[in-house]
Amino acid sequence: MQAAYITLSILIVIASILLTIVVLLQNSKGGGLAANFATGNQTFGVRQTADFLEKATWTLAFTIIVLCIAATFVIPERSARHSNIKNQIEQSVPVEGVPEIPVTPIEAE
């Protein structure tokens, strides 16, 4: 289970870095990577570049969402560790000289 969680975490980081790069390549005013192809008619021209970058953005964003949801299902269980710490706290003996806080229920008036 822990290996799957680590793998999903690494994939999320990689997808996030790729998404950042793709967003930085875009420019809302026609610049960015798409502006480099504006000088002539090419088979992979401005429109195709902008379309590719937009599709890549949406695909990576959707991938990150799916990976994050999948990661929540494979989070390693740590309940045994928490219960062990809880037992240690409950069984601890108060240290001399440290005042204890009285625990009394508050009575309703």
Side-chain angles (χ1 to χ4, degrees):
M1 248 343 189
Q2 189 172 0
Y5 181 73
I6 292 172
T7 303
L8 286 174
S9 298
I10 291 171
L11 289 175
I12 290 168
V13 170
I14 292 170
S16 299
I17 292 170
L18 288 174
L19 180 62
T20 302
I21 292 170
V22 169
V23 168
L24 289 175
L25 288 174
Q26 297 178 12
N27 189 349
S28 62
K29 298 189 182 198
L33 182 63
N36 293 336
F37 298 105
T39 56
N41 266 342
Q42 299 179 2
T43 57
F44 193 67
V46 177
R47 191 69 229 152
Q48 287 83 14
T49 303
D51 287 344
F52 171 76
L53 291 175
E54 183 177 352
K55 288 178 184 177
T57 302
W58 284 108
T59 302
L60 286 169
F62 181 73
T63 302
I64 291 171
I65 292 170
V66 170
L67 288 173
C68 287
I69 292 171
T72 60
F73 289 110
V74 295
I75 292 176
E77 292 293 327
R78 296 185 183 226
S79 60
R81 179 176 167 232
H82 289 299
S83 64
N84 186 19
I85 293 172
K86 183 179 177 186
N87 289 338
Q88 287 178 357
I89 292 172
E90 290 175 350
Q91 295 174 359
S92 65
V93 178
V95 179
E96 290 295 323
V98 178
E100 289 188 35
I101 300 173
V103 180
T104 57
I106 300 173
E107 296 179 16
E109 294 181 26

